[in-house]
Amino acid sequence: MRPAHICLAVLVAAVWGVNFTVIEVGLGHFPPLLFSALRFLVAALPAVFFVGRPKVAWKWIVAVGLVLGVAKFGLLFIGMDAGMPAGLSSLVLQIQAVFTALIAFVVLGERPTRVRLSGMGVALCGVGLAAVDEGTAGPLGAFALVIAAAACWGLSNVLTRKASPPDSLNFMVWVSTVPVLPLLGLSLLTEGPSRDLAALRGLDWQGAGVVVYVAWITTVFGFGAWGWLLHRHPASTVAPFSLLVPVFGMSSAALFLGESVSPLRWAATALLVGGVALTSLVPGPRRVHVADAPAQEQVGEPA
């Protein structure tokens, strides 16, 4: 990769890592589901008028929009609102690589290699340590919600792979149109119209800036730049930079939110990041075709 491309990849990882701190600030301004709805509304408008028509079937846009936008981000925002620290959330979400590999095995028949299975085991040990650490400092229910968000992210990864969008920015902008109404409806039902109206009436410059960051910087710029890099370099070259996300996430949370990082959490970080690296960066799994003989296998794409 050219130095400029390396800098861009690091910048995207930093943007995505700092995003967790920004979300934490935003949750002080908005109820979680309303906040998530605003994020996708601002990400979709006005970008949807400039990216052209969808380049994949609507079934994939709707499926990814519901799983990624409503389920994954809804659970993440609720979990963080319930007490899950921003830095720890940025770390625990990386277990999505394990869920992606497991769902790809069930849905796509991609059989993980022994190295990947070992990586999954190491990553799960890291999650276990993080759970022990969180159990002494915060609510385990919130921790479980972020794990569920990671599982939804893994499912959305497999759906996105099935969709195979030729333009990741176009795909992400159209996906962002799907969660807005479901999230607004859920917010009205569970968070209440009065709470939502109070948040919107009390909107200040910080609240507006938070929405702009999570919508335009994290979503539109982040996914657009990442897709641009993937079009110019092998996925195995670009993917390792995503491991910097929890580094920036935990660092920014410690710097701006005063979150402490215990020795146990550092150990969990080492195990989880190392396990995710083995799970997602080793050569791709073998894809098993159910209709073929068991011995007929071929190499699939990396998870």
Side-chain angles (χ1 to χ4, degrees), residues 1-12 225 228-229 233 241:
M1 293 178 69
R2 297 177 181 178
H5 294 184
I6 293 174
C7 291
L8 180 60
V10 173
L11 176 61
V12 173
W228 186 87
L229 288 168
H233 302 282
F241 289 96

Side-chain angles (χ1 to χ4, degrees), residues 92-106 120 124 127 146-155 157-158 279 303:
V92 170
L93 266 185
Q94 299 309 309
I95 199 66
Q96 58 85 16
V98 173
F99 285 113
T100 300
L102 291 174
I103 295 169
F105 170 66
V106 174
M120 291 180 201
L124 289 173
V127 169
V146 176
I147 292 290
C152 292
W153 191 4
L155 177 56
N157 286 340
V158 175
T279 301

Side-chain angles (χ1 to χ4, degrees), residues 37-52:
L38 292 173
R39 176 247 181 94
F40 286 107
L41 176 64
V42 176
L45 297 176
V48 72
F49 298 111
F50 297 97
V51 297

Side-chain angles (χ1 to χ4, degrees), residues 14 40 58 95 171 177 201 228 281:
F40 286 107
W58 269 103
I95 199 66
F171 182 67
T177 66
R201 287 172 179 167
W228 186 87
L281 303 181

Side-chain angles (χ1 to χ4, degrees), residues 221-236:
F221 166 75
F223 281 96
W226 196 255
W228 186 87
L229 288 168
L230 287 171
H231 276 297
R232 285 158 179 79
H233 302 282
S236 58

Side-chain angles (χ1 to χ4, degrees), residues 111 113 116 281-286 299-303:
R111 180 180 297 172
T113 63
R116 284 194 168 182
L281 303 181
V282 295
R286 295 168 293 176
V299 176
E301 296 179 358

